[in-house]
Amino acid sequence: MSKIAYILLCHQAPEAIIAQAQRLTATGDFVSIHYDKRAPQSTYQEIVDALESNPRVTFAEKRIKCGWGAWSLVEATLSALSSAAKSFPRATHFYLTSGDCMPIKSAEYIHDALDRVDCDYIEGHDFFRSDWIKTGLKEERLIYRFHFNERTQAKLFYASLALQQKLKITRQPPADLQMMIGSQWWCLRRATVEKVLAFCDERPDVMRFFATTWIPDEIFFQTVVRHLVPVSEIQNRTPTFLIFSDYGMPVNFYDDHYDLLLGQNYFFARKISVEALELRQRLGDLYAEEGHEFHLSGEGRRVYSFLTGRGRIGRRFASRFWERDSSIGLEREVLILACKKWHVAKRLAERIHEKTGLPYVGYLFHELDANLPDLGGIETTLEKRHRHRRALIRLLMDNYDTDRIMFCVDTADLELLRDFDSARCEVRILELECEFSEDYLVGHAERLNLIGADAPSETVSRLLPTLRADIEFESRAIRENGFESLSRVRQSDDDASRAAGLIDFLQVPEDDAREILDLHYLFSD
């Protein structure tokens, strides 16, 4: 069975590197870490201290100060690769990855795939004839010498290039090598790695040439492997899924890309955003799973290209129905329980649901935790719910596969009641009129942050009459608004009067209404 030695190139986030190494070695594989020498020694030491007791982890023989597009990246890779080859004689494959990469398949799946086909996974296209390079320098990368880094020494970089072009100082690649180019990320067999390391010792001319080549990490291994290994033993593809934007920058993946990533025919993915904590956790758990079946669709790049293209013409997202149509539906029925005491309305709603099966939700426009199902994001904030209130009700009806739904509203939200009453659907409102003791009003004032628990009795005495009058005003405003279908169930009513209000609201027989109201603690605090 295959054993993988992961070559981990990294430069930041020591906690993530430690977690990645522990995750990859927990399933029996190995890790060789190169931590950029530009990073603080203290963070490198943190990684060493955390992993030094793990026999499946080793570190690069030499730490290199790495620069984007420079030979130092290849040098760092070779350092970690050499260390891995010496430290892990049981490793059958060597997989180059980074701190931004995560597995998108289980270890079981990756091992089985490597066992089935005896090959190297490395992308390589003819440097001069292919169109792999989309923008920037192409032939110039090889025929000129680059002693400066474009990102950190831009003036010197372009001045040196211009001088060589002016003086026509060029060079030729090694004559016996066909120059290839492709993705930096690969997975090579042990025999191939041993040949590459030996080649580096035997061909100092090749090493000198690539040491002054621009972006050699896309050329060196791709060229050398094809020089040493028969084409029939090479899978011309990277085992790591990545997407580049039109500007040549790698696209980041986030929490909602989990299913998309699992459907790609690759072993790892790059780049996983540092903010995608949930995605990192799920992918980490996935790597250790056994028996997971993967359904490959491979649509990742097509989806990205399509969405990017639609974005340029302002049509990246399909129009949401709540932006096109704000009606609920003439054939649909909305039942609203309006009550100042939320626990009373919830009790009655639950009782009605038990006896009739009528779907209901609680104070969905007032409290975030209203036990709502996933509705595509419209339910995530109270602001969204209010802004698309009718659409929210339609989505709930669709979710519960019903044309009738019931929810609760605070009596203070008269505007909400008015809006639903004017909607193109049948709306019935039942006001639950409660009695309010002084103790309840004091608690209500505390919940509104009007007073603290140790408020002086004089302050409370002055406040309570105003609170009571305010609640009475809300109830009166509802009655005076002229709603087309408004019923009432009052705490002070006898059983017959309560039943009459519920019959009018639910359109049920009297016996059913009385059974629903047979709840002695309905109005209890």
Side-chain angles (χ1 to χ4, degrees), residues 260-493:
L260 180 144
L261 291 176
L262 264 61
Q264 310 311 308
N265 188 21
Y266 296 86
F267 301 148
F268 273 62
R270 170 178 170 82
K271 292 175 116 179
I272 307 301
S273 171
V274 294
E275 299 174 358
L277 300 181
E278 179 184 346
L279 177 60
R280 287 177 173 270
Q281 180 64 48
R282 295 180 72 184
L283 292 177
D285 294 342
L286 173 73
Y287 187 72
E289 283 189 23
E290 295 183 357
H292 191 106
E293 294 186 10
F294 294 90
H295 304 284
L296 307 181
S297 55
E299 79 296 336
R301 290 192 176 92
R302 297 193 303 274
V303 170
Y304 175 79
S305 297
F306 175 80
L307 293 178
T308 302
R310 298 281 73 71
R312 293 194 184 96
I313 57 178
R315 292 190 289 114
R316 177 171 182 178
F317 301 103
S319 57
R320 300 168 171 86
F321 80 79
W322 55 81
E323 296 169 347
R324 303 192 308 266
D325 184 3
S326 61
S327 66
I328 294 175
L330 292 173
E331 74 287 356
R332 288 180 154 175
E333 187 176 348
V334 174
L335 294 95
I336 304 175
L337 294 174
C339 186
K340 175 58 68 177
K341 291 185 178 181
W342 292 9
H343 61 279
V344 173
K346 291 178 181 179
R347 283 175 190 160
L348 183 58
E350 177 64 28
R351 181 73 169 179
I352 292 172
H353 172 70
E354 289 176 357
K355 298 300 181 181
T356 68
L358 177 64
Y360 81 98
V361 288
Y363 282 81
L364 74 168
F365 296 105
H366 305 286
E367 56 181 351
L368 191 60
D369 184 17
N371 296 319
L372 297 183
D374 183 354
L375 300 174
I378 192 175
E379 81 289 351
T380 53
T381 68
L382 293 177
E383 181 183 6
K384 285 184 179 180
R385 296 180 198 175
H386 272 278
R387 187 166 62 248
H388 307 297
R389 57 187 67 161
R390 299 184 188 182
L392 178 63
I393 298 304
R394 285 181 60 186
L395 285 170
L396 283 169
M397 288 181 170
D398 292 341
N399 182 80
Y400 292 123
D401 192 23
T402 182
D403 288 331
R404 303 179 76 214
I405 198 165
M406 176 173 55
F407 59 90
C408 307
V409 170
D410 192 290
T411 53
D413 207 335
L414 183 62
E415 182 57 37
L416 191 71
L417 294 173
R418 286 173 175 166
D419 183 69
F420 277 108
D421 190 59
S422 64
R424 296 177 58 197
C425 63
E426 183 174 352
V427 178
R428 290 203 294 276
I429 302 170
L430 176 66
E431 182 192 2
L432 295 173
E433 187 176 320
C434 305
E435 297 176 356
F436 299 92
S437 65
E438 287 195 359
D439 288 342
Y440 178 87
L441 291 175
V442 170
H444 181 59
E446 291 177 354
R447 288 189 290 274
L448 294 177
N449 292 321
L450 294 176
I451 58 174
D454 55 350
S457 57
E458 295 82 1
T459 301
V460 174
S461 298
R462 289 195 298 270
L463 182 62
L464 293 189
T466 303
L467 281 176
R468 190 182 300 278
D470 193 49
I471 293 173
E472 291 174 355
F473 173 82
E474 292 171 5
S475 178
R476 186 168 62 253
I478 290 174
R479 295 194 302 272
E480 294 176 351
N481 190 81
F483 293 116
E484 185 173 344
S485 180
L486 174 65
S487 309
R488 294 173 72 197
V489 169
R490 294 186 293 186
Q491 185 174 351
S492 59
D493 282 343

Side-chain angles (χ1 to χ4, degrees), residues 120 122 186 188-189 192-193 196 219-231 233-234:
D120 298 308
I122 184 167
W186 41 254
L188 304 177
R189 297 167 295 175
T192 301
V193 167
V196 169
I219 310 171
F220 177 80
F221 288 100
Q222 296 75 3
T223 298
V224 172
V225 169
R226 275 160 185 76
H227 179 71
L228 300 172
V229 178
V231 175
E233 297 180 17
I234 297 175

Side-chain angles (χ1 to χ4, degrees), residues 1-7 28-32 55-58 80-94 188-194 197:
M1 181 178 176
S2 60
K3 291 286 185 181
I4 306 170
Y6 290 100
I7 311 304
D29 291 317
F30 311 98
V31 173
S32 179
R56 295 181 178 274
V57 176
T58 190
L81 188 61
S82 177
S83 180
K86 295 175 182 176
S87 301
F88 309 126
R90 295 170 53 208
T92 61
H93 293 76
F94 297 78
L188 304 177
R189 297 167 295 175
R190 170 173 283 277
T192 301
V193 167
E194 291 173 347
L197 293 176

